[in-house]
Amino acid sequence: MAEQSLKEFFRKKKAKAGGDIDWAARKDEWVQTIRDLYKTITDDYLAEPVADGSVAVAEDEKTIVEEFIGPYQAPELVLQVGDEKVVFSPKGRNIVGASGRIDLVGEMGVKTLVVQPERRWGVVESRTPTLRIVPLDKESLLSALKDVMRP
Amino acid sequence: MRRVSLSGSEKTVGAIWDWYEVQSRLALAKKSQLLQEIRSSHRVSDPTFFGMTTEEIDDFFCELDLLTMLDLLASAEAAIRVNFLNRVYRRLKDDVSRQFRTLYKANGNSIRLEDVLNVWKDLVPAIKNQVGDFNGALLLRHWLAHGRYWTPKFGRDYYPGDVYDISLRLINAIST
């Protein structure tokens, strides 16, 4: 009798929880989304400053550990401008309200980039009192870099 | 020497614990909702949490535990100090009260809590453990009360239940 009750309990729980989530696929898609972003940044947004040598670009790896997904490697993008460094540092796929987050970390602060529907990237300008996210493009990247780098 | 005007407004550790249990249940419900939002993606019920990872959500709600522990330790401190002042003002004749009066004459109202506890530890060996446990928890109290700007070394982990037990055991021990 008790066994039947437990069976029923978990059957209902599973039905309420919805379908199984393919966490490995989520992680793979997330890492690919990061790589695609870095390609857009280096080949498009920063193509000219990279070409004229005013900024050096390198990739590194970091280990992220997330609930359900476990540990995995994700690429970091490092911009070096003279003696100043800015890092695009992935924080995780599983975040509130979006499908992944990268922190843009500089000496003067941190800006948050998030993946929105259709794998569009946005820059979080404010959370409260009003959530404001602007699409990531050359202009918003410049603004974000100004915020986190030395004046 | 000017007497401290006792307010009678101090909270008891029991009242703090009741408050914590209610807040804790509310926080858990909110946390569960947020974790559900993470799994389903893209729905933002509260922009305060937008972009947070599960680890950051844990840290956010851990604040309730830390603030509760500070409140419990502050409440215990109030009980110890009120006990101290009452023994001084009433001129009780036991050894602890006599020693408190000596301390009071030397330090006035700026007596250190640690000095009060040392009297208890030295003159009432039966409650040495309760005093020792509370002294250990005072490291947590100082860290919390002074803004957590240094890396603490407590020698053990503290949770609200531990701090509640430590505080209550000492309060009961000095009140008998």
Side-chain angles (χ1 to χ4, degrees):
Chain A
M1 197 67 180
E3 190 184 336
Q4 273 187 332
S5 296
L6 281 169
K7 189 177 169 185
E8 183 67 8
F9 171 76
F10 283 113
R11 193 187 64 74
K12 283 182 179 168
K13 287 296 283 183
K14 182 155 175 137
K16 199 174 173 187
D20 289 331
I21 295 168
D22 186 343
W23 295 105
R26 267 198 183 186
K27 184 258 293 175
D28 291 343
E29 187 185 348
W30 158 233
V31 173
Q32 188 55 50
T33 306
I34 298 170
R35 292 195 190 287
D36 292 346
L37 171 69
Y38 293 168
K39 188 167 170 47
T40 303
I41 290 172
T42 52
D43 294 357
D44 182 0
Y45 300 167
L46 298 182
E48 285 179 273
V50 168
D52 70 18
S54 50
V55 59
V57 179
E59 279 202 22
D60 208 342
E61 290 271 306
K62 74 179 280 190
T63 302
I64 299 175
V65 182
E66 291 195 68
E67 202 175 10
F68 304 113
I69 293 175
Y72 62 95
Q73 295 287 305
E76 285 189 323
L77 185 69
V78 182
L79 309 182
Q80 188 82 41
V81 189
D83 66 349
E84 192 171 4
K85 195 166 83 169
V86 182
V87 182
F88 290 79
S89 184
K91 290 296 286 184
R93 162 61 182 80
N94 294 332
I95 62 163
V96 177
S99 304
R101 167 179 146 199
I102 290 177
D103 282 354
L104 179 62
V105 184
E107 273 183 38
M108 303 303 288
V110 178
K111 293 290 279 189
T112 301
L113 313 182
V114 291
V115 184
Q116 298 186 280
E118 283 98 49
R119 296 170 74 172
R120 288 174 296 108
W121 284 90
V123 183
V124 179
E125 288 298 329
S126 70
R127 286 185 176 80
T128 54
T130 308
L131 180 63
R132 202 165 81 83
I133 302 167
V134 298
L136 180 69
D137 53 22
K138 277 186 183 177
E139 194 183 332
S140 58
L141 176 62
L142 173 62
S143 172
L145 288 169
K146 282 180 176 173
D147 283 345
V148 303
M149 293 180 76
R150 296 197 293 251
Chain B
M1 205 169 305
R2 199 178 186 89
R3 286 193 173 202
V4 173
S5 170
L6 297 174
S7 69
S9 306
E10 60 271 24
K11 292 195 276 185
T12 65
V13 292
I16 294 167
W17 186 258
D18 289 345
W19 178 87
Y20 169 71
E21 287 202 312
V22 172
Q23 299 305 319
S24 196
R25 282 199 294 273
L26 295 171
L28 276 175
K30 180 72 177 177
K31 189 174 161 184
S32 172
Q33 180 197 358
L34 290 167
L35 294 177
Q36 189 57 40
E37 286 177 21
I38 284 180
R39 286 177 212 123
S40 60
S41 296
H42 297 316
R43 208 170 62 84
V44 190
S45 63
D46 186 338
T48 304
F49 298 95
F50 181 81
M52 281 192 187
T53 63
T54 49
E55 197 178 21
E56 288 167 334
I57 289 171
D58 284 341
D59 288 346
F60 183 92
F61 287 103
C62 187
E63 274 304 304
L64 177 62
D65 288 7
L66 295 174
L67 293 176
T68 299
M69 290 192 284
L70 178 59
D71 210 9
L72 287 166
L73 290 165
S75 168
E77 175 171 348
I80 295 162
R81 287 187 179 278
V82 168
N83 175 285
F84 168 83
L85 291 170
N86 281 334
R87 285 171 181 272
V88 170
Y89 297 158
R90 290 174 190 168
R91 306 187 64 79
L92 301 180
K93 303 298 178 201
D94 61 282
D95 291 347
V96 170
S97 300
R98 286 178 195 277
Q99 186 58 33
F100 279 174
R101 280 203 297 282
T102 305
L103 271 179
Y104 187 72
K105 275 177 193 157
N107 300 280
N109 291 324
S110 55
I111 184 84
R112 293 172 66 244
L113 183 67
E114 284 81 353
D115 292 336
V116 176
L117 291 171
N118 281 339
V119 172
W120 281 110
K121 188 180 68 180
D122 294 342
L123 299 184
V124 190
I127 67 165
K128 191 176 66 179
N129 289 341
Q130 288 92 321
V131 175
D133 288 345
F134 191 80
N135 265 328
L138 281 181
L139 296 175
L140 172 66
R141 177 252 180 243
H142 298 329
W143 182 69
L144 291 170
H146 293 283
R148 315 174 197 176
Y149 67 89
W150 68 90
T151 304
K153 286 180 186 168
F154 299 137
R156 57 163 289 185
D157 291 331
Y158 287 104
Y159 300 96
D162 304 322
V163 175
Y164 171 80
D165 288 340
I166 289 168
S167 300
L168 190 62
R169 283 209 310 269
L170 181 60
I171 292 167
N172 287 341
I174 66 173
S175 302
T176 52

